[in-house]
Amino acid sequence: MSRSKAVAILGSTGSIGRNTLDVIGRDPGMEVVALSAQSNVALLAEQCLAFKPRYAAIADPALAGELRGRLEANGAGSEVLAGPAALVEIASLTEADTIMAAIVGAAGLESTLAGIRAGKKVLLANKESLVMAGDLCMAAARESGALLIPVDSEHNAIFQCLPACGSALGPEQTRHVAKLVLTCSGGPFLRAPAEAFAEITPEQAVAHPKWSMGAKISVDSATLMNKGLEVIEACCLFAMPPEKVEVIIHPQSIVHSMVYYEDGSVLAQLGEPDMRIPIAGALGWPERMPSGADLLKLAEEEPLAFLPPDFDRFPCLGLALTAARQRGLAPVALNAANEVAVAAFLAGNLPFTRIAALIEAVSVKMPNREADTLDIILETDALARVYAKELI
Ligand code: NAD
Ligand code: MG
């Protein structure tokens, strides 16, 4: 595998998608072969005009006509594909060597898996794919020879701190690792007293102090569910048991994660909190390329602090760690209930403090077993969503 040349982006209108295009735009040797969105036709058409991809996929088929009209009018010339099957199609294009998997939530699973099965270099932002189907994704990568490069900043940091390996991540890379430590900004409510949590509004929850991201992951960062999902993600990617993946609060978001080795050495990756850094690292791998991010000015930063997480004020973190230990379908149910809870919170239909309660109620109700086929994973996801909606 080499530095990316021809890239298809799943979720190009989102926060990660836009940052990816920003990085690609800095490299005349990199080409965009496909772009996709759920419903933002206006931005997708604009991106097509700027990057001239061969294909433009719109997940909502009702919007295909509007997209076609806009692309004819602006002269972008991209062929329009529509519906969820179009996402799978662009994830498997022969013209693409690299797939950026940047759809949010369970909606990204099938296309991410398609990219892996097609043996692509898959840049993985969609952590929910690994939370739901980690074993399936890793096994598919071993079979197809796909290279999974994590884009999540913590996992990308760990990827950079592990010895390089040529293909899919494997246990030989972590042979001398004592533990992985995921850093966590603590989110907007790091210092908020427990009594204030019931009044938290969606506007406050999405206003992350360090990172600018999509609404769902911003709420996950406010509840610390995001870090919990990231523990599960790390266990899958790096074949580590949950006991060897620790979470530490680091409000400055300068140290993006750490690898502790058995000899006492600790390797960390540092940088500005700017997602273009891991994105450029993944696109450029095994080389490096400009990202557009500022260089860190450490002497001007506030002192770097590290503290343990508070499981009482942030119960979602504990729920996710339990699911990480249970494995099987437990993370699938957790993820589905969380997606429903976060959507309800954002819509003003669920108080912030009920998010964890809802996830726990669904998790307890769901039977657990091996998550060995895509069908059973998707069935469990659907059932957990039904339970969660009933409880709202
Ligand atoms: P976002 O909400 O900004 O963008 C989501 C993208 O997915 C959009 O392009 C949207 O059109 C598309 N999409 C949404 N639902 C879809 C559906 N049903 N079918 C097809 N496309 C759909 O989200 P984001 O913040 O860019 O996050 C994307 C993924 O990356 C998430 O899994 C998130 O956890 C992960 N991630 C994001 C960041 C970040 O800084 N934003 C950091 C680490 C990881
Ligand atoms: Mg992260």
Side-chain angles (χ1 to χ4, degrees), residues 12-376:
S12 62
T13 54
S15 165
I16 292 288
R18 284 178 274 123
N19 276 311
T20 303
L21 287 173
D22 181 287
V23 175
I24 292 176
R26 293 165 194 278
D27 188 324
M30 237 173 243
E31 174 205 356
V32 175
V33 293
L35 293 174
S36 86
Q38 160 72 359
S39 55
N40 191 343
V41 179
L43 180 56
L44 183 58
E46 216 177 277
Q47 292 177 335
C48 288
L49 181 62
F51 288 89
K52 300 278 172 3
R54 182 130 177 227
Y55 305 96
I58 186 87
D60 180 351
L63 296 170
E66 189 188 338
L67 179 61
R68 245 175 233 117
R70 282 181 186 259
L71 294 179
E72 268 160 34
N74 75 11
S78 313
E79 183 183 328
V80 172
L81 308 171
L87 304 173
V88 169
E89 194 176 335
I90 66 166
S92 339
L93 287 172
T94 43
E95 297 98 312
D97 56 54
T98 298
I99 308 301
M100 167 55 85
I103 290 174
V104 61
L109 171 58
E110 284 176 83
S111 53
T112 302
L113 196 53
I116 297 173
R117 285 180 173 152
K120 305 292 185 190
K121 179 178 171 188
V122 178
L123 316 187
L124 200 69
N126 178 256
K127 66 189 87 190
E128 295 90 349
S129 294
L130 284 185
V131 170
M132 297 174 72
D135 290 346
L136 224 57
C137 288
M138 299 310 286
R142 281 190 294 274
E143 202 167 302
S144 69
L147 171 67
L148 292 185
I149 303 192
V151 169
D152 213 348
S153 58
E154 299 76 5
H155 307 73
N156 187 272
I158 290 168
F159 182 80
Q160 294 192 46
C161 295
L162 290 173
C165 75
S167 60
L169 290 155
E172 66 281 6
Q173 271 187 301
T174 48
R175 201 150 32 110
H176 300 291
V177 171
K179 64 177 179 181
L180 305 176
V181 177
L182 301 180
T183 53
C184 172
S185 71
F189 310 120
L190 174 61
R191 294 187 179 89
E195 310 81 72
F197 276 44
E199 304 303 321
I200 288 171
T201 65
E203 294 69 35
Q204 292 168 329
V206 298
H208 197 279
K210 290 290 174 188
W211 299 93
S212 157
M213 310 180 286
K216 190 261 180 184
I217 183 176
S218 296
V219 176
D220 286 350
S221 300
T223 61
L224 297 204
M225 176 55 89
N226 182 51
K227 210 49 55 178
L229 298 177
E230 290 183 357
V231 169
I232 301 172
E233 181 186 9
C235 292
C236 295
L237 276 171
F238 306 116
M240 293 296 273
E243 315 79 75
K244 289 190 173 186
V245 182
E246 235 173 70
V247 172
I248 196 166
I249 304 293
H250 168 46
Q252 294 75 28
S253 298
I254 295 291
V255 176
H256 296 304
S257 277
M258 297 172 257
V259 178
Y260 280 59
Y261 285 94
E262 61 190 5
D263 59 3
S265 288
V266 181
L267 298 196
Q269 183 256 353
L270 284 69
E272 283 284 335
D274 184 328
M275 285 308 293
R276 291 176 301 177
I277 298 175
I279 290 169
L283 284 166
W285 190 92
E287 297 165 33
R288 297 219 178 234
M289 63 180 284
S291 69
D294 291 335
L295 292 182
L296 202 53
K297 296 190 187 77
L298 271 177
E300 291 170 25
E301 288 292 336
E302 58 177 287
L304 303 188
F306 299 92
L307 52 151
D310 178 347
F311 288 89
D312 293 331
R313 280 183 309 139
F314 299 101
C316 283
L317 180 57
L319 292 173
L321 297 189
T322 301
R325 285 189 292 270
Q326 290 171 331
R327 302 189 49 166
L329 293 169
V332 182
L334 173 98
N335 180 68
N338 180 55
E339 286 192 26
V340 173
V342 170
F345 167 70
L346 285 170
N349 298 329
L350 190 76
F352 187 80
T353 40
R354 287 259 298 131
I355 295 176
L358 184 81
I359 297 165
E360 186 168 22
V362 172
S363 298
V364 170
K365 215 170 153 172
M366 295 290 294
N368 195 12
R369 47 159 285 198
E370 229 28 41
D372 44 9
T373 67
L374 187 58
D375 284 348
I376 185 83

